[in-house]
Amino acid sequence: MTEINISFQVENEYNEMTSAFGIEENYTIDVIKGFKPEMNDKQNLFITGESGSGKSLLLKRFGDVISPEDIPKETLIKWSGLFDISEKYFCQLLSGVGLCDAKLFTRDISTFSDSQRYRSLLLYSLIKYDTIILDEFLSTLDRESAKPIAFAFQKICKKLGK
């Protein structure tokens, strides 16, 4: 996995404003202009940095970012009919993201827990996209919940060449 760590700093013109608030630190900013990143096929990229450092802005340079609002609101049992994929492949993907509980198939996705909604987003992105770009990946989940989801997602992406 490739990791990019970015940290933007504020230019001197902002230093006057910050000093008005009693902030004595000096900042500078590195601006990325005309930057269009290129990735190798089947490469995982992880962007890190402080809050407000421009991670989301940089991520958008790679392409369209997928969010939970992009997923169909139908129940999972209806999803298999939305895409031109076999039931066997659909079941493999369900299992790969941890959504293989039969009780979930008939429930409306809006009733899912945060963890289940993220897993639905991952399932949807695996079916619909070859390149998957996610921002704030699993950020609302605690680390113990997010870790197995992220691990399983990376594993299935490698297996499928996504």
Side-chain angles (χ1 to χ4, degrees), residues 47-94:
I47 301 173
T48 62
E50 292 183 27
S51 178
S53 65
K55 297 180 299 294
S56 295
L57 181 64
L58 178 62
L59 194 58
K60 288 177 185 173
R61 300 280 180 136
F62 284 93
D64 293 330
V65 178
I66 304 162
S67 70
E69 292 77 38
D70 296 327
I71 65 171
K73 303 301 181 223
E74 290 87 359
T75 60
L76 291 177
I77 201 163
K78 292 181 182 176
W79 275 28
S80 60
L82 294 175
F83 304 100
D84 187 26
I85 58 175
S86 70
E87 285 184 25
K88 181 180 179 182
Y89 181 62
F90 184 66
C91 289
Q92 279 182 308
L93 295 178
L94 283 169

Side-chain angles (χ1 to χ4, degrees), residues 7-130:
S7 62
F8 289 107
Q9 299 174 317
V10 185
E11 286 179 353
N12 288 338
E13 63 191 61
Y14 295 98
N15 290 330
E16 293 176 27
M17 184 188 322
T18 57
S19 65
F21 288 97
I23 301 171
E24 298 300 323
E25 299 175 37
N26 288 320
Y27 298 96
T28 58
I29 188 166
D30 299 317
V31 180
I32 301 172
K33 293 184 178 178
F35 175 70
K36 177 65 178 165
E38 293 182 20
M39 290 181 59
N40 300 326
D41 288 343
K42 301 175 185 122
Q43 177 183 3
N44 291 318
L45 178 66
F46 185 62
I47 301 173
T48 62
E50 292 183 27
S51 178
S53 65
K55 297 180 299 294
S56 295
L57 181 64
L58 178 62
L59 194 58
K60 288 177 185 173
R61 300 280 180 136
F62 284 93
D64 293 330
V65 178
I66 304 162
S67 70
E69 292 77 38
D70 296 327
I71 65 171
K73 303 301 181 223
E74 290 87 359
T75 60
L76 291 177
I77 201 163
K78 292 181 182 176
W79 275 28
S80 60
L82 294 175
F83 304 100
D84 187 26
I85 58 175
S86 70
E87 285 184 25
K88 181 180 179 182
Y89 181 62
F90 184 66
C91 289
Q92 279 182 308
L93 295 178
L94 283 169
S95 177
V97 297
L99 286 175
C100 51
D101 183 354
K103 295 176 191 174
L104 297 177
F105 294 163
T106 58
R107 286 182 38 208
D108 187 273
I109 290 175
S110 64
T111 66
F112 283 14
S113 69
D114 283 346
S115 175
Q116 292 165 334
R117 274 196 287 274
Y118 270 107
R119 291 169 192 259
S120 300
L121 172 64
L122 300 179
L123 172 65
Y124 177 72
S125 60
L126 285 169
I127 295 171
K128 185 153 174 131
Y129 303 101
D130 289 325

